[in-house]
Amino acid sequence: MDLITGNAFEADTQGTGWFIGFSDWSRHGPGELLHVPQDQPVQGLCVKWFDHPAGHESGLGKPLSEGRTVSILTSAGSRFRIDFSTDPDFPAALTRSVLLQRPGDYAAWGAGLHHRWAALERSTVITLRWNPA
């Protein structure tokens, strides 16, 4: 499963704060999902900012992920769960759940995953999506 999690505040950015992009500071975890080589163009950049009320859920039926995506929790006192699976029915044996609960917690994933989410408490999340060219 092409998925990494972490916290932006704890990422080793050598004091720069840049944890997504072309710098060496963005080389986190397997697959380097947050690293985009400087000479590699990016296509289809999308940015979503959403304030999810408690109980807001995506349900099933979301399309299969393409490119790369990262969702970052920005609000304190929040809990936001994202489930990932290689199967659209989310069987327990093939599903990994990630709980974002501190500002800066993130999940980054690559192509070929199904995902669904639920705001367990009111949560503000910024999501970036892009396709390496």
Side-chain angles (χ1 to χ4, degrees):
M1 193 173 289
D2 203 8
L3 169 68
I4 60 172
T5 62
N7 184 283
F9 291 111
E10 296 170 356
D12 182 11
T13 66
Q14 299 176 24
T16 68
W18 291 103
F19 78 105
I20 299 172
F22 61 81
S23 68
D24 285 339
W25 310 306
S26 63
R27 295 180 181 272
H28 306 286
E32 297 185 344
L33 288 169
L34 301 177
H35 183 74
V36 181
Q38 190 169 9
D39 60 351
Q40 180 185 57
V42 172
Q43 297 178 345
L45 175 66
C46 300
V47 179
K48 175 183 174 182
W49 176 276
F50 205 93
D51 187 35
H52 300 273
H56 192 205
E57 296 184 10
S58 66
L60 297 175
K62 295 185 74 58
L64 193 63
S65 294
E66 297 180 19
R68 296 180 187 173
T69 305
V70 59
S71 287
I72 309 161
L73 184 69
T74 65
S75 54
S78 302
R79 290 187 322 132
F80 190 83
R81 188 189 74 233
I82 310 174
D83 300 324
F84 299 94
S85 182
T86 54
D87 186 308
D89 295 323
F90 291 85
L94 297 176
T95 299
R96 178 172 170 199
S97 294
V98 174
L99 182 62
L100 308 179
Q101 57 188 351
R102 296 182 304 141
D105 281 354
Y106 66 85
W109 63 98
L113 288 179
H114 298 276
H115 74 286
R116 63 184 181 194
W117 47 260
L120 306 176
E121 295 175 18
R122 182 178 175 184
S123 302
T124 304
V125 178
I126 186 169
T127 299
L128 293 86
R129 198 175 276 159
W130 67 95
N131 291 312

